[in-house]
Amino acid sequence: EAGVTQFPSHSVIEKGQTVTLRCDPISGHDNLYWYRRVMGKEIKFLLHFVKESKQDESGMPNNRFLAERTGGTYSTLKVQPAELEDSGVYFCASSQDMLVEQYFGPGTRLTVT
Amino acid sequence: GNSVTQMEGPVTLSEEAFLTINCTYTATGYPSLFWYVQYPGEGLQLLLKATKADDKGSNKGFEATYRKETTSFHLEKGSVQVSDSAVYFCALSDQTGANNLFFGTGTRLTVIP
């Protein structure tokens, strides 16, 4: 069974540009989470999808971040326009149900210069 | 609110040394507690968990006991190996429905032969 995959593994963009991160959850997992780790700090929750619906987006930092999960399969996280403080590692996780283990992807390292 | 305070790293140990990584938490209600590990180039993996007070989670020689009275979940291993070199994250889930994880800052462990 394939695990959670994320693309790209690393992205370097200039301030003001747009970047789209993609997450493919484990097949059949309705719950999909996005988290972010800014350099040296804790991993912070961004948002949670149940199928295609946003269950909780309380962790999204501001309206430059847009997450979608059309069709309830893969998800994208778009940052537009990117700022320097958006640099970090973006993790995606999925789970079959809530209150059970979340399986994490390898992360996308975003560097904004 | 929910938060996790984790021992600052990095930690460098010789092979077969005893490992302790301290973790304390603040939570509303009765959280579940987790240790995640990230090996170089890989995603976060669940190492162990405990869902209620006095539970002991264990896996791969690592152990952690859920201590409600001290709000702690310290990670221990009696004899570390080079292959244990990784970043370790303590986390909690407040179990109030969304199952969002709250993480500590991570502790990098390096084990030298």
Side-chain angles (χ1 to χ4, degrees):
Chain A
E1 178 183 277
V4 177
T5 57
Q6 292 186 245
F7 182 83
S9 58
H10 192 184
S11 179
V12 181
I13 61 172
E14 292 184 354
K15 177 182 170 181
Q17 290 186 322
T18 297
V19 63
T20 300
L21 314 181
R22 173 171 170 145
C23 168
D24 286 78
I26 292 172
S27 178
H29 281 194
D30 288 339
N31 293 272
L32 188 149
Y33 304 81
W34 283 98
Y35 294 86
R36 176 174 74 169
R37 186 186 190 206
V38 173
M39 182 64 71
K41 297 194 175 180
E42 68 272 23
I43 299 170
K44 284 194 170 179
F45 165 79
L46 295 178
L47 87 159
H48 170 208
F49 284 99
V50 177
K51 298 185 180 178
E52 67 274 11
S53 300
K54 291 177 186 174
Q55 180 81 5
D56 181 354
E57 51 184 329
S58 61
M60 295 286 265
N62 51 60
N63 60 10
R64 294 185 294 102
F65 289 75
L66 175 63
E68 295 180 322
R69 193 182 181 198
T70 307
T73 55
Y74 70 91
S75 174
T76 57
L77 180 65
K78 180 190 288 188
V79 185
Q80 179 182 30
E83 298 289 344
L84 298 178
E85 64 264 26
D86 300 333
S87 296
V89 180
Y90 290 76
F91 292 100
C92 176
S94 72
S95 67
Q96 194 161 26
D97 299 299
M98 288 194 284
L99 305 183
V100 298
E101 179 182 352
Q102 295 179 27
Y103 294 85
F104 281 77
T108 293
R109 181 174 295 278
L110 174 64
T111 303
V112 183
T113 62
Chain B
N2 298 310
S3 67
V4 174
T5 301
Q6 188 174 340
M7 175 176 158
E8 296 255 345
V11 174
T12 302
L13 295 174
S14 297
E15 206 164 21
E16 299 184 1
F18 184 85
L19 168 71
T20 300
I21 301 178
N22 290 337
C23 172
T24 57
Y25 67 89
T26 302
T28 52
Y30 303 96
S32 290
L33 301 174
F34 308 83
W35 277 99
Y36 279 83
V37 58
Q38 185 179 22
Y39 298 103
E42 299 183 16
L44 292 165
Q45 300 175 25
L46 179 64
L47 180 60
L48 54 84
K49 67 178 181 182
T51 58
K52 62 183 187 296
D54 300 324
D55 268 2
K56 178 185 283 188
S58 61
N59 186 24
K60 300 182 180 180
F62 291 89
E63 292 183 340
T65 301
Y66 189 142
R67 301 286 188 201
K68 187 167 181 288
E69 63 277 12
T70 54
T71 62
S72 65
F73 193 56
H74 305 321
L75 182 68
E76 296 182 336
K77 186 174 186 182
S79 176
V80 293
Q81 305 301 312
V82 172
S83 57
D84 294 326
S85 298
V87 182
Y88 293 80
F89 294 91
C90 186
L92 71 83
S93 170
D94 65 8
Q95 300 289 296
T96 56
N99 199 33
N100 306 335
L101 292 168
F102 296 83
F103 286 88
T105 53
T107 302
R108 180 176 297 278
L109 169 67
T110 302
V111 181
I112 54 178

